[in-house]
Amino acid sequence: MKIALLGCGVVGGGVLDIVDKRCDMELKYVLVRRDKPELGSRAVADINTILNDKEVDTVVEVMGGLSPAFEYVSAAMKAGKNVVTANKHLVAHYYKELVSLAKEMGVAFRCTPAVGGGIPWLKNLERATRLDKIDSFCGIMNGTTNFILDNMHVNGSDFGEVLAEAQRLGYAEADPTADIDGLDIQRKCIISANVAFGACFKEEDVPVAGIRHIKACDIFAAEELGRVCRMLAFGKNVDGKVLAYVEPSFVAAGELEAAVSKAMNIISFETSLSGKESFYGQGAGRYPTAYNAVQDCVDILCGVKSFYTDKIEDMKPDNSAEKHPYYVRFAGKDEWLDSMIIEPCGEGAIIADVSVAEMHAWAAKAKEADPELFFAGII
C-alpha cells in the first residue's frame, strides 16, 4: 500500500511515525502548506502530484476543517483512491456526499479515528449492525469536557480555572468553543447515529447544549442528588422513531460514565442480542488517533472496500420520543418553567419529565432572558 498523507500536524506526525515502522505500507507523499525539510522529497505542496500518481492507492486526511479538505478528499475518490480521515467535522457535514461518492467510485471510505480517537468505536458499531438492530448508544465522546467536569467534581475547581488548565495541558484549544459548546460531540454523535441507524442527519437538526456556563453550584447540585455531571451524546431507536442529541447529564454515581476520569472517553451501544457493550480509552491525542487511522489502512489492505454502512436515509431526529427530568438553573421568571418545577435544588430546580425536543426548544428561547442558563438531564 502506498499512502499520501494530507497534513502533518499532531495526528499526521503520529501516522508518519507508525507507517514508517511497517513493511506492508509506504508513505510516499505528505501534502504540506509550509516547508518541512525533515520530510525531504516526500513533502509536496500540490494536491495534483498525489492525484496523478497511480501508485498512490490510499489518501489519509488529517488536515481538519471543511475546505480544502472536502475538495481534496472528493478529488482523491474520483481518482480511484481509498480515503481515511480523522476529520469529524468533514464527515458530519458532508456525510451523504462522501459516502455516496465512495460507493459510486468503488473505493473504501473509513473514519474510525474521527469518533473516539483511539477507541475502535465505529468499527465495532459496524460489526453490531451486521447481526442486530442498534437500540441505543450513549457516551462521553470529548476528553476536554470530561477533564473539566471531572476536575470540578474531584477538586472543587472553578470552570474558568479548569478550562485554563486544560488549555495549558493541550486538552483544549485556544478557542475552546467546539468543545465546551458541544459542537465536537455533536459531530461525533451525528456520525455514530448515521452508522447505527442508517440515517443522514444534518448538524442543525441535532440539538446540543454545552457546559460553557456551568458553575460550582451546579456540580454541588449533582452531588446532592448522588450523581455526577457528564457531557453525553445520545442516540436511540424507539419504536421506529430515531433520536439524537447532546447535553450535560447528571449520571447516577454507580454508572460507568460517572467513573470515567480526566480526559478519557467511554461509548456504549445496546442491542437485543448483545445487551450493552462499552468501549473505553483515549479519545484523542497524537498516537491514539493516528493508531486508528493506520488501523483503517490495515483494514483496507485486508480487503475492506466500503464505508461502515450502505444505508443513507435523509431524516430528522424525533427527540419528542425521549422524556426525563432535568436540573435547571435560570435567573428570572418563566411561566412554563414554574409549572414544571418539582422541587428546588441548590441555586436551580428539578423539573418533571419533559421531552428532549421541548426542553431544548425552551432553552433556546430562555437564553435571551438569561444567557447564563444551565440545564442537565437527570438520567
Side-chain angles (χ1 to χ4, degrees):
M1 170 182 279
K2 293 190 184 294
I3 298 168
L5 182 64
L6 309 187
C8 196
V10 173
V11 176
V15 172
L16 183 67
D17 288 348
I18 296 171
V19 171
D20 278 352
K21 292 180 174 66
R22 297 184 64 87
C23 60
D24 56 353
M25 53 184 69
E26 173 194 344
L27 208 160
K28 187 171 184 179
Y29 298 112
V30 182
L31 185 72
V32 294
R33 295 174 179 173
R34 46 188 171 273
D35 288 342
K36 281 188 173 283
E38 66 272 20
L39 294 174
S41 61
R42 294 195 285 189
V44 296
D46 186 354
I47 186 65
N48 289 303
T49 303
I50 294 167
L51 298 177
N52 294 330
D53 189 333
K54 294 184 178 179
E55 281 193 341
V56 174
D57 52 77
T58 301
V59 168
V60 177
E61 185 272 313
V62 289
M63 301 172 66
L66 295 180
S67 184
F70 174 68
E71 291 80 8
Y72 289 173
V73 165
S74 298
M77 289 181 180
K78 290 175 182 176
K81 303 183 190 302
N82 305 303
V83 169
V84 171
T85 179
N87 189 341
K88 83 278 294 184
H89 194 186
L90 174 73
V91 180
H93 192 80
Y94 288 111
Y95 185 85
K96 187 173 186 178
E97 293 89 339
L98 292 174
V99 175
S100 299
L101 181 59
K103 185 175 182 180
E104 177 187 346
M105 302 308 302
V107 297
F109 176 42
R110 310 297 282 186
C111 56
T112 306
V115 185
I119 302 172
W121 164 246
L122 291 179
K123 183 176 175 62
N124 281 281
L125 197 60
E126 174 188 31
R127 292 180 73 247
T129 61
R130 298 188 310 207
L131 288 182
D132 202 4
K133 176 176 74 71
I134 304 294
D135 294 322
S136 65
F137 68 81
C138 170
I140 296 169
M141 297 185 177
N142 180 275
T144 302
T145 51
N146 203 65
F147 177 84
I148 292 170
L149 293 171
D150 186 56
N151 268 273
M152 292 182 75
H153 274 287
V154 173
N155 301 317
S157 306
D158 175 76
F159 173 81
E161 294 172 351
V162 185
L163 174 58
E165 176 72 359
Q167 290 171 319
R168 186 185 70 79
L169 293 172
Y171 292 136
E173 301 288 342
D175 177 2
T177 298
D179 292 321
I180 64 175
D181 288 341
L183 301 178
D184 175 83
I185 310 172
Q186 181 200 42
R187 291 159 187 160
K188 296 170 182 176
C189 181
I190 289 170
I191 298 167
S192 299
N194 287 351
V195 172
F197 308 128
C200 185
F201 289 150
K202 290 183 167 54
E203 290 160 285
E204 59 267 26
D205 294 328
V206 176
V208 55
I211 62 167
R212 180 182 291 271
H213 299 297
I214 194 170
K215 297 180 179 180
C217 63
D218 305 316
I219 297 294
F220 180 74
E223 292 174 350
E224 284 291 290
L225 295 170
R227 295 172 181 269
V228 175
C229 187
R230 292 290 183 253
M231 188 70 178
L232 298 177
F234 297 89
K236 290 187 179 181
N237 188 342
V238 182
D239 298 326
K241 293 181 178 180
V242 176
L243 59 90
Y245 61 96
V246 176
E247 63 185 24
S249 301
F250 286 180
V251 181
E255 295 295 324
L256 279 173
E257 291 79 8
V260 176
S261 63
K262 299 182 180 178
M264 303 300 283
N265 284 192
I266 189 167
I267 322 174
S268 307
F269 64 70
E270 192 161 353
T271 78
S272 59
L273 290 177
S274 69
K276 183 176 180 179
E277 294 188 49
S278 300
F279 303 85
Y280 170 84
Q282 295 280 356
R286 165 173 279 194
Y287 289 108
T289 307
Y291 163 88
N292 259 337
V294 180
Q295 284 281 23
D296 280 348
C297 292
V298 174
D299 285 343
I300 293 169
L301 263 176
C302 292
V304 170
K305 294 291 286 184
S306 63
F307 189 62
Y308 306 90
T309 178
D310 58 2
K311 298 176 182 176
I312 312 174
E313 182 180 348
D314 288 317
M315 63 174 78
K316 291 185 178 182
D318 183 356
N319 292 313
S320 64
E322 171 70 12
K323 292 185 177 183
H324 50 250
Y326 280 90
Y327 163 84
V328 184
R329 177 174 46 77
F330 176 72
K333 295 289 290 182
D334 182 271
E335 185 177 343
W336 177 85
L337 182 62
D338 290 345
S339 72
M340 297 294 291
I341 291 176
I342 297 174
E343 60 179 312
C345 184
E347 295 184 23
I350 306 300
I351 68 170
D353 285 11
V354 60
S355 76
V356 169
E358 187 176 1
M359 186 64 204
H360 281 256
W362 172 81
K365 294 180 180 178
K367 285 180 181 177
E368 297 174 8
D370 179 13
E372 294 195 356
L373 161 71
F374 175 79
F375 70 91
I378 301 175
I379 61 171

